């Protein structure tokens, strides 16, 4: 998928029709993430929830099925590795919830081990890593509210190679119960730390903006920014400014013949017709000159 097309499909304001299976999968992932953002607090790690998630992820694509392995015979205790895929997952979910409930281990350590176990069990015929990744994001988004204000996957993408290397490292000796998940946990810790820093920076900016005159800020942005701009550009830089304040400032600068409109409607742009320094002329003051 090309970057321009990716940008269109990721838009929250419009829905686009997928042209191929790759685009269908992307739109399904988008739909799953939107549901996580809006309903994630009610999520419980149980088999039915995971089945519902896979149905959303692969809707209108070929059905991703459980791998046929193992036979469960009633009244007979069989080893974990010989259980059917559904029973392996059910046991994994029960174990995760038990350990989480006891609160004896760090949450991200539990999540890292859960992710590796899910991938190594390979319960589905394909896309196990994708399903597991969306699943652990659901858990992280529920437990770490910073995910409501900053993008987890944008941040995680900064650690893409490190994440992949840590995942491969964690596979070693997994069969013997000695999975090395510390590097993977550290990736999650570092990603969440960056997200918290981003939100703290944004919060300080909001507090600072709330104490300033919005009209003066907008005027300064227009005078110092690009000669051609839109209201969207202003909104991104002054998120606390109301629509009426932006319109009032634009009308004032238009009356002063500092800017002129280019077109009409919401998407119309404006052009500054004076230089960046013309409005703010510097005068030399002699303090002691009579």
């Amino acid at each position: 998928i090309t970057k321009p097309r990716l940008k269109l499909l990721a838009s929250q304001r419009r829905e686009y029709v997928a042209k191929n299976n790759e685009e269908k999968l992307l739109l399904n992932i988008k739909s799953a993430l939107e549901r996580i953002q809006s309903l994630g607090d009610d999520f419980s790690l149980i088999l039915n929830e995971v089945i519902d998630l896979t149905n959303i992820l692969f809707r209108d694509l070929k059905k991703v099925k459980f791998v046929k392995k193992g036979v469960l015979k009633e009244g007979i205790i069989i080893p974990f590795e010989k259980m059917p895929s559904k029973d392996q997952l059910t046991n994994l979910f029960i174990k995760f919830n038990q350990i989480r409930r006891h609160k004896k281990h760090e949450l991200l350590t539990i999540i890292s081990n859960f992710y590796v176990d899910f991938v190594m069990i390979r319960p589905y015929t394909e896309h196990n890593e994708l399903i597991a990744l969306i699943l652990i994001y659901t858990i992280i988004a529920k437990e770490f509210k910073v995910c409501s204000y900053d993008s987890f996957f944008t941040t995680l993408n900064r650690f893409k190679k490190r994440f992949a290397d840590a995942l491969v490292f964690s596979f070693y000796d997994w069969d013997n119960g000695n999975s090395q998940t510390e590097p993977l946990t550290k990736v999650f810790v570092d990603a969440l730390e960056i997200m918290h820093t981003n939100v703290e920076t944004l919060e300080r900016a909001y507090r600072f903006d709330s104490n300033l005159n919005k009209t003066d800020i907008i005027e300064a942005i227009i005078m110092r920014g690009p000669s051609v701009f839109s209201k969207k550009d202003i909104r991104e830089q002054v998120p606390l400014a109301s629509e009426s304040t932006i319109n009032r400032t634009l009308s004032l600068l238009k009356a002063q013949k500092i800017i002129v409109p280019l077109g009409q409607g919401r998407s119309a742009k404006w052009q500054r017709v004076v230089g960046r320094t013309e409005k703010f002329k510097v005068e030399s003051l002699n303090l002691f000159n009579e």
Side-chain angles (χ1 to χ4, degrees):
I1 304 175
T2 63
K3 285 187 176 181
R5 182 66 179 167
L6 189 65
K7 188 175 181 180
L8 286 176
L9 293 171
S11 172
Q12 291 183 324
R13 296 186 177 183
R14 291 185 61 185
E15 292 293 335
Y16 292 89
V17 177
K19 295 181 178 179
N20 50 48
N21 284 343
E22 286 79 7
E23 291 190 358
K24 284 181 181 178
L25 179 58
L26 177 63
L27 291 177
N28 288 344
I29 292 172
K30 175 183 169 184
S31 177
L33 294 178
E34 287 174 345
R35 289 179 66 86
I36 292 168
Q37 285 291 333
S38 60
L39 304 172
D41 287 344
D42 298 323
F43 173 77
S44 297
L45 187 58
I46 57 177
L47 185 63
N48 286 343
E49 286 275 28
V50 179
I51 293 174
D52 289 343
L53 171 63
T54 56
N55 288 338
I56 291 174
L57 288 175
F58 305 107
R59 183 174 51 213
D60 298 327
L61 296 167
K62 65 178 180 179
K63 191 174 180 61
V64 176
K65 300 179 180 178
F66 282 105
V67 174
K68 292 183 179 179
K69 57 183 176 182
V71 178
L72 186 61
K73 297 181 179 179
E74 291 188 17
I76 300 177
I77 299 175
I78 60 175
F80 179 83
E81 63 273 11
K82 293 184 179 180
M83 289 181 179
S85 297
K86 285 186 179 181
D87 295 284
Q88 285 184 335
L89 279 186
T90 299
N91 275 268
L92 181 61
F93 299 157
I94 291 172
K95 195 69 175 175
F96 176 91
N97 290 324
Q98 284 177 345
I99 296 173
R100 176 74 185 103
R101 196 160 47 245
H102 292 157
K103 297 183 179 180
K104 292 182 179 180
H105 304 278
E106 286 289 339
L107 175 59
L108 291 176
T109 300
I110 305 172
I111 289 173
S112 298
N113 280 274
F114 171 80
Y115 179 60
V116 173
D117 287 345
F118 191 106
V119 173
M120 292 302 287
I121 290 172
R122 299 202 169 277
Y124 288 95
T125 52
E126 55 187 319
H127 297 299
N128 286 287
E129 290 189 14
L130 171 61
I131 296 168
L133 191 59
I134 301 298
L135 193 56
I136 62 164
Y137 170 67
T138 309
I139 301 170
I140 289 174
K142 179 179 180 179
E143 300 289 346
F144 296 90
K145 297 307 177 187
V146 69
C147 295
S148 298
Y149 304 98
D150 198 25
S151 171
F152 174 76
F153 286 112
T154 297
T155 309
L156 189 64
N157 194 50
R158 296 170 57 174
F159 302 98
K160 188 175 181 179
K161 184 179 185 308
R162 193 176 134 199
F163 179 82
D165 292 342
L167 186 59
V168 172
F169 182 72
S170 68
F171 293 157
Y172 296 134
D173 212 21
W174 176 86
D175 290 331
N176 296 318
N178 297 317
S179 181
Q180 304 299 312
T181 59
E182 290 85 356
L184 191 62
T185 302
K186 189 65 167 63
V187 171
F188 291 140
V189 170
D190 290 347
L192 286 167
E193 185 176 11
I194 288 174
M195 291 168 66
H196 278 94
T197 300
N198 291 343
V199 173
E200 287 172 359
T201 302
L202 185 63
E203 189 262 351
R204 284 196 295 270
Y206 267 70
R207 285 184 180 274
F208 181 75
D209 285 354
S210 64
N211 294 324
L212 296 176
N213 185 300
K214 302 299 184 301
T215 299
D216 292 341
I217 297 174
I218 295 169
E219 189 172 329
I221 288 171
I222 292 172
M223 295 306 299
R224 296 171 188 168
S227 58
V228 177
F229 60 93
S230 66
K231 286 205 291 186
K232 179 183 176 184
D233 299 329
I234 296 173
R235 277 194 293 269
E236 289 177 352
Q237 296 185 65
V238 196
L240 291 183
S242 65
E243 191 74 12
S244 59
T245 300
I246 296 174
N247 290 336
R248 185 169 58 251
T249 306
L250 292 174
S251 297
L252 178 64
L253 294 179
K254 178 184 175 183
Q256 295 175 355
K257 297 184 179 180
I258 294 173
I259 60 174
V260 294
L262 300 176
Q264 295 180 342
R266 292 185 177 182
S267 60
K269 292 185 178 294
W270 293 78
Q271 181 171 10
R272 190 182 63 245
V273 292
V274 300
R276 292 187 178 184
T277 58
E278 281 186 43
K279 190 182 178 194
F280 305 108
K281 292 184 179 179
V282 179
E283 296 182 4
S284 178
L285 300 178
N286 295 323
L287 296 181
F288 304 109
N289 189 345
E290 295 182 354

